[in-house]
Amino acid sequence: MSETASAWKAVRDRARIDEADAVAALREALVLPEGLRGRIVEDALRLASRVRAASAGSLRAEAFLQRYGLSTHEGVVLMCLAEALLRIPDSETADALIRDKLAGGAWRGSADGSGALVNAASWALMLTGRLAEWREAEGGADAVMRRLVARAGEPVVRAAVRQAVEIMAGQFVAGETIDQALARAARTPRYRWSFDMLGEAARTAADAERYLAHYHQAIAAVGARAGAELAPETRPGLSIKLSALHPRYEPAKRARVLAELAPRVVGLCRAAAAAGIPVTIDAEEADRLELSLEIFERLAREPGLAGWDGLGLAVQAYQKRALAVCAWVAALAAGTRRRIPVRLVKGAYWDTEIKLAQVLGLEYPVLTRKAATDVSYLACAQALLAARGRVFAQLATHNCHTVAFVLACAGARRDFEFQKLHGMGDALYEGLVADRGVACRVYAPVGSHRDLLAYLVRRLLENGANTSFVHQVADRAVPLERLTADPLALLPEPYAPSRRVPPPRDIYPGRRNALGLDLADARVLERLERRVAADRARVRSVRAGETAVVEPSDRGRVVGAVRHAAPGDVDAAVRAAHSAWRAWDARPANERAAILERAADAIESAIEALVSLLAREAGRTFADGVSEVREAADFCRYYAARSRAEFGSPLALPAPAGESNRLELAGRGVFACISPWNFPLSIFTGQVAAALAAGNAVVAKPAEQTPLAAAAAVALLHEAGVPADVLQLLAGTGEAVGAPLARHPDLAGVAFTGSFETALAIQRALAAREGPIVPFVAETGGLNAMIADSSALPGQVVADVIGSAFDSAGQRCSALRVLLVQEEAAPRVLEMLAGAIDELRVGDPGRADTDVGPVIDADASAALGRHIADLETRGRLIARAPLAGEAAHGTYVAPVAFEIALDDLPRREVFGPVLHVVRYAARDLERALGAVARTRYGLTLGIHSRIDGFVDRVRARLRVGNTYVNRNMIGAVVGVQPFGGEGLSGTGPKAGGPYYLHRFAVERTLTINTAALGGSPDLLADES
Ligand SMILES: Cc1cc2nc3c(=O)[nH]c(=O)nc-3n(C[C@H](O)[C@H](O)[C@H](O)COP(=O)(O)OP(=O)(O)OC[C@H]3O[C@@H](n4cnc5c(N)ncnc54)[C@H](O)[C@@H]3O)c2cc1C
């Protein structure tokens, strides 16, 4: 294996390794001569003292962040206000936002004048140096501001915040245009420069084109000004974010990204090479790292770029594989005979990485201790400095200890450079550049104020954080000795990850979070594709008396076959279950729980087989399949935990003297669990696990279209220890199996998920039975709306609309059907929505790059086709996704969005990838909400707004089971977002919620007259 190939393997293998192992490797790699550590700390202390002295009383960014950073509550409010105010198109909503924030207590300035309202205006004033005048004014700035707002109202705040942001922009952005930035750079010749064109990640092809053009213009402009006399390493350069250059820069789209994005970057690099300026590929989220390295390798091997030493890469030290990435770059440099500039950063997305790993149930890709990130940085810096000749080390940091370490390692060498962010670290680097002869490059964002905020919020988040060096250096309460301590000495021995950041498996009390599959790992995706192909190749013959199950993605492919229950089977199954349930109910809750937990483990272990089955039988994409398998495991563990807590020991109740009272929960008998095809594994398993956990026996009837996933779940539950008679599966149609099952006289209850109409039929059947009245838990559909006002972030709205409306081909009960968007925001939102729909790949769910699979069967696609035909006559087509070639053999419906009038809202659930969009005027909000309320469904609701009052108003008007604010509205997590609706949407209690098991149980009290046994010793004892 070549040096590059083995380094690449290490990069992959170390992505999510155990943190203690990662830190052990770092410690081993870090070699420091005796005594050097102490000298580094001394130097760090000197540097930090100078920085702190310089920042006192100045208007530097450090001081600014100290006072107004995101770690203060008012800082958060203020950033939210500023961020939204800059882009809200209508002043009515802008003022509503201001009123909203004013109404919150945070805006009433405190006595010492530190309230956020004061801050809003004093931002601007402080930075222009006029704050003192205000503070000295009668009554202080606080009173002045309040008088001013009272007199002039919201427009004053609006203007103040706008001005403040503009001044902030001046601090953190080098210019609105590249020419302005170049002019600024020319005034500061002691620094080198790298320009970054601000912008969000591209969501549409048009966005990506626009950013590409910006980069080309910037290269031309920088090239034209980059004096030819400058040595190559000192020349100004450009930093590039790959996410800006492709709308689907995602691991699952690898082939497409390599085919489409790589040539664009090659084009940029050629232009940069011709202009003689260096380029750095910025580091973004961890799940994009491998893809970015693959593109980087292409660039490094590109014949047209041979001999160009301007091709650079940013590496994040907080990633567990950082050191491996450094080794890989060095190997690549050697293999391609070039010197690669490597910008070492600590990383800007730490909180995002932590959250994502928890959501996906994956080990963290980043370290969880700040000191560990620092140590990683030191080890990587040392490796890069050691690789001189192959690597040009660019050490980006504002941390004095980190700088002191680099200086100590480098000794007399000056063949490296430091880097800092524009508007930060000046106090540190001005001295260093002058006194120690080191070079420093400024990372200088360029862009309009509108584009600034995403960047700014990241900076503030990172640098306003209590752990951050720049934050602490400005805080006189933090002793500098602590701030400049040796990070190696701060690591615990033996090493353990931070307690503040629990492992992703342990974030929920009482149960484990289900393990995920890393769909950012190309090897996992390849394995899943191979698995589906292999499963398809195993031809399953259909025997006499069996019914074939075919793939919705290709009706010619048989997934398997089942034997439908015969007429007498229903009765036999219920009777057998009935005679088995008492023994099951009599088992301690703990035992039942342990069996369910074993089943959860088994489901997790079978994840790849189950994802393949779901892709084939139900048309689920890999991402959908993984989350469904995880949900099934979560249900088992959650109900196990609830059963232990509530069924394990009786609840003691209050009692008068001489009496004991307790309440016990127990199983009811035999439950019928009737589940749908749209979550053939998780809903099926959830119902069954709940009934079993509560001490019931179960006769389960899965949807006719998806019996195999149900059979797989039953097999795993049986293997885990659920007796065969206690859990029985009956495949068949609703008429032949479901109807007689629901009528059976020995049933103790029914759990049903499906259409409202079927639920009603079951309810009638139950009502017509003689004997005890039994519980009926029904989860039915919804006509779910999302409402976005003009304070919402269009990019976020569109991403959440795409996921909510089209994931699982829109076949989720929670899926978005009606998007209400405020008219002022509509043009931008709908343009982006159309572009994002164009980017969807609709095709075989057995392929890793498919976003949307088929709908379940021909009946479903025909019904959707009729609805779409109707919309074509009444609505305006916004966009329709293209269908991939392979879609011809399956039941596919291309995701589509229509704009319709409010009066044309559908009356019934449209179960597929069809989105209805309605524009509303702010003054007509009530009418729009009324139209949604009149559908009488109440399952899920999405709200996108920065205005809390707006969220409250919508929530008060619409009675809905699950509301999601500023996020997508699907994917409820067991125990975290208990799921279920009201009105036409279901009976409750919520699945995956704390009250669910109660509906499957009987309650019994036991009262004992303890006095009858010989008095009340407790009472008598109290006499003393
Ligand atoms: C020139 C330049 C270019 C940059 N380009 C990029 C880029 O391409 N991609 C990118 O991601 N960032 C980039 N950054 C941002 C960079 O990541 C931050 O500025 C940097 O992390 C700050 O490091 P520091 O040494 O100045 O601060 P310090 O305060 O010493 O370190 C802050 C770091 O510690 C991490 N941290 C905080 N708490 C923990 C914890 N509990 N466990 C583990 N780690 C923790 C933070 O995430 C952050 O990375 C760039 C910065 C500069 C100066």
Side-chain angles (χ1 to χ4, degrees):
M1 205 189 289
S2 73
E3 196 190 346
T4 323
S6 64
W8 177 245
K9 185 169 178 315
V11 169
R12 285 183 145 183
D13 290 347
R14 305 184 71 79
R16 295 179 191 270
I17 54 166
D18 179 77
E19 186 167 339
D21 292 344
V23 171
L26 292 170
R27 277 177 158 152
E28 202 181 304
L30 197 55
V31 195
L32 287 175
E34 203 56 36
L36 197 58
R37 281 171 65 180
R39 288 207 298 283
I40 291 171
V41 169
E42 284 166 21
D43 195 25
L45 192 59
R46 262 194 305 277
L47 293 172
S49 312
R50 201 159 66 184
V51 172
R52 182 167 279 178
S55 67
S58 79
L59 297 177
R60 284 167 202 285
E62 283 91 344
F64 175 86
L65 289 168
Q66 178 65 23
R67 192 172 166 90
Y68 303 103
L70 284 185
S71 60
T72 63
H73 176 68
E74 60 250 36
V76 176
V77 175
L78 198 54
M79 274 316 296
C80 168
L81 189 65
E83 187 270 335
L85 271 185
L86 276 198
R87 54 179 172 70
I88 293 178
D90 56 310
S91 50
E92 206 172 298
T93 307
D95 287 347
L97 177 72
I98 293 167
R99 266 195 305 280
D100 188 75
K101 302 302 172 199
L102 283 174
W107 284 94
R108 272 179 251 121
S110 56
D112 65 354
S114 64
L117 173 57
V118 180
N119 292 348
S122 59
W123 262 26
L125 299 167
M126 181 190 75
L127 292 168
T128 51
R130 290 184 5 235
L131 184 60
E133 296 166 31
W134 282 71
R135 288 228 178 276
E136 284 153 17
E138 193 189 343
D142 183 16
V144 173
M145 272 311 297
R146 262 186 281 154
R147 276 205 302 277
L148 205 62
V149 171
R151 208 168 52 229
E154 293 87 19
V156 171
V157 180
R158 209 177 337 132
V161 172
R162 259 183 229 279
Q163 194 194 350
V165 172
E166 298 204 347
I167 292 166
M168 289 268 288
Q171 275 281 304
F172 292 100
V173 175
E176 287 200 62
T177 64
I178 188 73
D179 287 329
Q180 280 175 11
L182 282 164
R184 196 157 176 169
R187 292 198 296 276
T188 325
R190 63 183 174 283
Y191 289 127
R192 302 169 180 177
W193 293 80
S194 183
F195 299 99
D196 160 50
M197 310 308 291
L198 287 175
E200 288 179 49
R203 290 189 199 281
T204 66
D207 286 345
E209 288 293 330
R210 205 176 54 248
Y211 289 130
L212 182 64
H214 284 176
Y215 280 134
H216 273 292
Q217 285 155 11
I219 288 171
V222 177
R225 296 268 203 111
E229 74 283 1
L230 294 179
E233 277 171 5
T234 60
R235 283 166 170 268
L238 207 66
S239 292
I240 289 180
K241 280 201 173 39
L242 296 182
S243 62
L245 294 173
H246 198 279
R248 300 304 302 268
Y249 172 48
E250 301 158 22
K253 303 283 178 187
R254 180 172 170 273
R256 189 180 158 198
V257 166
L258 292 180
E260 296 172 7
L261 174 57
R264 277 176 218 170
V265 194
V266 168
L268 282 173
C269 287
R270 278 175 179 261
I277 63 170
V279 160
T280 305
I281 306 294
D282 276 353
E284 302 186 63
E285 293 84 351
D287 64 3
R288 289 169 155 162
L289 178 67
E290 281 186 23
L291 205 47
S292 69
L293 296 186
E294 282 194 72
I295 290 179
F296 191 81
E297 180 163 1
R298 285 227 176 160
L299 296 171
R301 298 191 187 283
E302 172 70 25
L305 298 174
W308 177 51
D309 278 351
L311 176 64
L313 182 72
V315 176
Q316 295 159 325
Y318 65 18
Q319 288 209 40
K320 290 174 173 172
R321 55 190 153 168
L323 200 53
V325 176
C326 292
W328 177 81
V329 185
L332 181 66
T336 56
R337 295 174 188 281
R338 56 169 71 236
R339 185 160 178 243
I340 296 181
V342 178
R343 170 197 298 153
L344 185 62
V345 302
K346 287 180 190 167
Y349 307 86
W350 185 80
D351 51 329
T352 311
E353 301 294 357
I354 295 292
K355 177 176 179 182
L356 196 66
Q358 292 185 352
V359 169
L360 297 177
L362 297 172
E363 181 55 69
Y364 296 121
V366 293
L367 301 158
T368 62
R369 285 183 186 269
K370 163 77 166 69
T373 290
D374 289 339
V375 168
S376 173
Y377 193 99
L378 305 188
C380 293
Q382 197 170 52
L384 295 176
L385 286 168
R388 65 160 90 182
R390 299 209 239 170
V391 163
F392 172 42
Q394 302 176 313
L395 302 151
T397 176
H398 312 106
N399 180 317
C400 292
H401 182 279
T402 314
V403 165
F405 173 90
V406 170
L407 289 170
C409 270
R413 281 173 58 186
R414 287 296 176 262
D415 54 351
F416 67 95
E417 69 180 22
F418 284 111
Q419 295 197 351
K420 72 175 204 74
L421 295 173
H422 176 71
M424 303 187 61
D426 291 321
L428 171 63
Y429 282 107
E430 268 159 30
L432 278 180
V433 170
D435 306 344
R436 308 224 192 160
V438 291
C440 179
R441 188 180 297 267
V442 180
Y443 182 93
V446 181
S448 72
H449 298 167
R450 264 178 75 97
D451 291 330
L452 155 82
L453 280 151
Y455 172 82
L456 198 58
V457 169
R458 223 178 22 250
R459 284 291 78 81
L460 293 187
L461 254 178
E462 180 188 298
N463 295 303
N466 285 334
T467 47
S468 131
F469 184 88
V470 285
H471 182 84
Q472 296 182 76
V473 80
D475 181 356
R476 295 191 166 273
V478 178
L480 286 183
E481 290 70 20
R482 198 177 84 201
L483 189 56
T484 53
D486 181 349
L488 268 172
L490 298 178
L491 298 182
E493 188 63 62
Y495 186 83
S498 165
R499 274 199 302 275
R500 273 188 345 104
V501 190
R505 290 279 262 171
D506 298 337
I507 56 173
Y508 300 128
R511 68 179 167 107
R512 269 190 293 157
N513 181 14
L515 195 66
L517 262 190
D518 187 0
L519 297 181
D521 184 336
R523 290 169 300 184
V524 173
L525 296 177
E526 281 160 21
R527 219 165 51 225
L528 286 174
E529 285 187 339
R530 277 200 307 273
R531 171 94 207 200
V532 172
D535 288 346
R536 279 178 176 158
R538 256 195 307 274
V539 182
R540 163 79 159 85
S541 57
V542 181
R543 290 186 278 269
E546 287 185 335
T547 304
V549 179
V550 297
E551 289 199 32
S553 61
D554 182 340
R555 311 295 302 170
R557 279 195 295 249
V558 175
V559 187
V562 282
R563 191 172 296 278
H564 281 187
D569 290 351
V570 173
D571 183 55
V574 177
R575 280 171 188 279
H578 195 262
S579 41
W581 84 266
R582 277 183 197 282
W584 175 250
D585 188 33
R587 288 170 85 157
N590 202 22
E591 268 183 34
R592 293 197 304 262
I595 290 174
L596 288 176
E597 284 164 349
R598 273 205 296 281
D601 294 346
I603 289 170
E604 271 180 5
S605 308
I607 190 164
E608 294 189 9
L610 292 170
V611 168
S612 164
L613 178 57
L614 290 169
R616 289 173 295 124
E617 186 180 39
R620 286 297 206 234
T621 61
F622 292 163
D624 286 340
V626 168
S627 62
E628 175 153 6
V629 175
R630 292 187 63 218
E631 188 179 22
D634 276 340
F635 271 131
C636 291
R637 293 202 179 103
Y638 180 76
Y639 293 136
R642 299 304 309 169
S643 152
R644 256 198 202 104
E646 296 184 329
F647 291 65
S649 48
L651 179 68
L653 298 174
E659 188 175 287
S660 86
N661 288 313
R662 63 192 224 189
L663 177 73
E664 295 171 351
L665 295 171
R668 303 188 77 100
V670 179
F671 255 77
C673 292
I674 304 177
S675 55
W677 47 261
N678 67 329
F679 284 95
L681 184 72
S682 61
I683 293 184
F684 176 86
T685 308
Q687 291 178 346
V688 168
L692 292 173
N696 300 286
V698 173
V699 176
K701 193 225 117 2
E704 197 186 334
Q705 294 89 336
T706 54
L708 301 176
V714 167
L716 293 171
L717 283 156
H718 283 162
E719 273 168 39
V722 178
D725 279 352
V726 170
L727 169 60
Q728 303 186 51
L729 183 69
L730 293 180
T733 64
E735 302 79 56
V737 179
L741 180 59
R743 279 197 305 268
H744 199 283
D746 284 346
L747 274 195
V750 177
F752 168 79
T753 303
S755 72
F756 175 76
E757 290 73 19
T758 310
L760 207 55
I762 294 174
Q763 192 193 25
R764 288 185 178 129
L766 290 174
R769 285 174 1 145
E770 292 300 323
I773 296 168
V774 299
F776 177 39
V777 183
E779 263 185 64
T780 53
L783 201 54
N784 311 308
M786 179 187 282
I787 178 155
D789 73 3
S790 68
S791 73
L793 191 64
Q796 195 184 354
V797 172
V798 168
D800 291 340
V801 166
I802 294 283
S804 303
F806 304 132
D807 263 23
S808 309
Q811 302 167 112
R812 295 178 180 240
C813 355
S814 54
L816 167 63
R817 312 290 177 207
V818 178
L819 171 67
L820 297 166
V821 55
Q822 190 180 323
E823 58 187 2
E824 286 85 356
R828 177 75 184 126
V829 169
L830 299 192
E831 180 200 334
M832 273 178 119
L833 178 63
I837 290 176
D838 285 344
E839 294 299 326
L840 290 172
R841 182 177 197 285
V842 188
D844 179 6
R847 285 179 52 153
D849 59 351
T850 291
D851 300 303
V852 180
V855 297
I856 191 70
D857 58 19
D859 286 351
S861 85
L864 290 163
R866 284 192 296 276
H867 182 74
I868 291 168
D870 180 43
L871 285 173
E872 277 162 353
T873 64
R874 289 185 296 121
R876 178 186 74 84
L877 179 69
I878 295 169
R880 191 193 308 261
L883 285 181
E886 74 263 16
H889 305 294
T891 49
Y892 286 89
V893 174
V896 64
F898 284 92
E899 185 172 352
I900 58 168
L902 186 62
D903 296 336
D904 278 344
L905 281 192
R907 300 270 169 263
R908 299 184 52 204
E909 185 174 38
V910 180
F911 211 66
V914 183
L915 177 66
H916 310 81
V917 181
V918 177
R919 278 177 218 242
Y920 74 91
R923 63 182 174 286
D924 289 340
L925 177 64
E926 192 50 43
R927 198 169 82 83
L929 298 179
V932 174
R934 272 193 300 281
T935 65
R936 294 168 62 213
Y937 286 99
L939 191 51
T940 63
L941 167 69
I943 308 175
H944 267 273
S945 173
R946 294 286 185 264
I947 303 178
D948 297 344
F950 179 85
V951 174
D952 294 343
R953 187 171 163 199
V954 175
R955 283 199 66 210
R957 182 70 182 85
L958 299 178
R959 301 165 74 86
V960 163
N962 289 59
T963 300
Y964 301 90
V965 178
N966 294 331
R967 55 153 280 178
N968 69 30
M969 50 197 274
I970 54 170
V973 175
V974 174
V976 178
Q977 293 110 8
F979 187 75
E982 40 194 276
L984 296 187
S985 295
T987 59
K990 281 174 173 292
Y995 309 120
Y996 196 62
L997 290 194
H998 298 175
R999 194 64 66 90
F1000 291 79
V1002 289
E1003 296 172 83
R1004 296 188 186 119
T1005 62
L1006 177 64
T1007 298
I1008 300 176
N1009 177 2
T1010 52
L1013 305 176
S1016 305
D1018 292 350
L1019 196 58
L1020 291 170
D1022 277 348
E1023 273 298 288
S1024 59

